[in-house]
Amino acid sequence: MADRTSNQTTPLLRRNWWRSHLSAAPFAGSLRLKTSLLSELGGSVGDLGTYIPIVLALTLVSNLDLSTTLIFTAFYNIITGALFGIPMPVQPMKSIAAVAVSEIPHLTVPQIAAAGICTAGTLFFLGATGLMSFFYHFIPLPVVRGVQLSQGLAFAFTAIKYIRYDQDFNTTKASTTNPRPWLGLDGRILALASISFLILVTGSGEVVEDEEEEDGRDGRVRRRLRTLSAIPAALIVFLLGLILCFVRDPSIIHDIKFGPSKIHILKITWEDWKSGFLRGAIPQIPLSVLNSVIAVCKLSADLFPEREVSATRVSVSVGLMNLVGCWFGAMPCCHGAGGLAGQYRFGGRSGASVAFLGLGKLVLGLVFGSSFVRILSQFPIGILGVLLLFAGIELAMASRDMNSKEESFVMLVCAAVSLTGSSAALGFGCGIVLFLLLKLRHLDCFDSCFGRSNSRSNIDGTSLNP
């Protein structure tokens, strides 16, 4: 009888032994799916609206090695997904990319690497010493929300330009000169159809909770919304864009060369260090501190309150990524609030989402190498604009928790200055000054200055009475 029982249970144990080993593995909880597999895959492409244009511009203008960047950013995605347990994005350092592509003379690859290493060293120092955690806890929330609002609206404005106008990614600035045609494989109708599809499937980005079945119309609506939310809408739109790459230019098949490019250590001269620090790192450092660390931590606390992400860990993570990868010519990268918002918007809820994206990048980098740039050059820009639009709106919506008029005032002034001056650091500084001035009105010293004269006038007034 015992033998028969053991024979019956042994196949079950053999069938499930891998699950027990997987659950006991390090970081298994971080990579465990929190929603369906399709939802996590859909969320994995949520930040490509910013990633692809910048990588393409740096590859075409500054001769950045695409294969090296894909391979290193793939490992960044997989490691950060395992460490943080949320869809922590890996995005280009936008200020360095803008300087490298738009200013004359263009930054060379060693200069780009030097700028990334200097920025990374600063963030690593701030994180390792605990200063970043100090800044995170003492920077007023309305100021952070202002930075998030300005960044989200900036993404949305750029996305609208991608949809309405033809773009030349030899510069990172969105063009507004040549209107995009309505028809064609990269026309406005394609972009509008993609927007309509994403809205019908994902709505405004609300989460449909699993509750007890309801009867009547409400129950049917909830069941329909749950079904729609399981569709990886962003992934479908992105795959459509990849298919259209080959339809638009079938000759790219002949230009594809298999295998990664050779990875080597860069030779960075003193002039490269000087130019990279002055032109690239100085404008990038405040942006990375605000958007890549502080704003990311605030947004993650809003989206994933059960999974705390510390400013120290995020800052050290950005530092270590670039202190390793930039020496080999990989694009300087950071975490970004816009990427996190985009991946959450399209279904990413765990570290598995960005891990899937990392696996995809790794396959592309190893199989196609630098020739993958020929495929990306034909990707419909309107579809990139659609993905970027939803990511930007999701980031801007994080600022809706400002409850008082004073908080909203600080946030809106900070956002307005950031957008007008095209500098998050300038808006941040104005927001801090405005916040302190408003708080000064509530201090006792402020009351004593103005209240003393009032009390004297009252005394003088009473002394005149008989």
Side-chain angles (χ1 to χ4, degrees), residues 346-386:
F346 291 117
R349 296 294 184 273
S350 69
S353 180
V354 289
F356 289 140
L357 177 61
L359 291 175
K361 290 179 181 178
L362 186 61
V363 171
L364 293 175
L366 293 176
V367 175
F368 297 105
S370 295
S371 65
F372 190 66
V373 70
R374 281 286 287 119
I375 301 176
L376 290 183
S377 64
Q378 294 300 320
F379 197 95
I381 308 303
I383 290 181
L384 290 179
V386 171

Side-chain angles (χ1 to χ4, degrees), residues 9-86:
T9 57
T10 299
L12 181 63
L13 292 174
R14 288 176 179 174
R15 193 182 308 129
N16 294 333
W17 71 269
W18 62 272
R19 293 184 180 178
S20 60
H21 281 70
L22 183 62
S23 60
F27 309 116
S30 299
L31 299 177
R32 184 179 295 115
L33 299 181
K34 294 183 179 179
T35 58
S36 66
L37 175 62
L38 292 178
S39 295
E40 298 286 1
L41 288 173
S44 66
V45 300
D47 69 334
L48 295 184
T50 53
Y51 181 88
I52 291 179
I54 294 178
V55 170
L56 186 59
L58 288 174
T59 303
L60 296 176
V61 176
S62 300
N63 296 317
L64 186 79
D65 190 282
L66 180 61
S67 175
T68 302
T69 293
L70 286 174
I71 292 173
F72 273 93
T73 55
F75 286 117
Y76 298 162
N77 280 127
I78 295 171
I79 294 172
T80 54
L83 288 176
F84 294 105
I86 64 174

Side-chain angles (χ1 to χ4, degrees), residues 52 68 83 148 166 194 244 254 264 298 319 358 374-375 429 448 466:
I52 291 179
T68 302
L83 288 176
Q148 290 177 321
D166 285 329
S194 301
L244 291 178
H254 305 291
H264 61 279
K298 293 288 187 183
R374 281 286 287 119
I375 301 176
S448 62

